Amino acid sequence: MENMENANNTENTSTEGAQEKTFTQEDVNRIVQERLAKEKGRGSEELNKRMAELDMRERKLNAVSELRKNGLPEYLVDALNISTDEAFQKSMEAVIKMKGEAKTQPKVVGYGSPIGNVGGSHKTEDATKAAMGLK
């Protein structure tokens, strides 16, 4: 008896399901095309993001190589503008120019250092005191 009731319930459910909205082949094709287009759009966004990351990585590696070639420390790569080739060239030229100017300027010990009182050495003051016989 229970088996008969289950069979009747199954038949009722399947006929109710058949009464739900059915899709034509055109509807199915349209829905599938919309979903494919959405997925394709997502894929291209991800691809563009990855390409930009790889481009920036390559620019950074090239900048490090250029710094090494010019005898400059690698940590300067963080100070360079590597967003475009032109910006990188301008930044690199400025750093190389600064390096050249630093070589031509006299080194100052103690007071008057271009970056403040660095090193704690006051050799000029000590030499003056010694010349005058002071301690």
Side-chain angles (χ1 to χ4, degrees), residues 82-128:
I82 59 174
S83 60
T84 64
D85 290 338
E86 184 179 290
F88 169 68
Q89 287 303 319
K90 286 182 179 180
S91 296
M92 195 65 196
E93 288 169 6
V95 169
I96 291 170
K97 182 178 177 183
M98 183 182 72
K99 178 185 174 189
E101 289 175 358
K103 283 183 179 180
T104 61
Q105 292 180 354
K107 298 207 185 243
V108 180
V109 179
Y111 294 110
S113 172
I115 55 174
N117 189 9
V118 178
S121 173
H122 305 293
K123 292 182 181 179
T124 54
E125 186 178 332
D126 293 339
T128 305

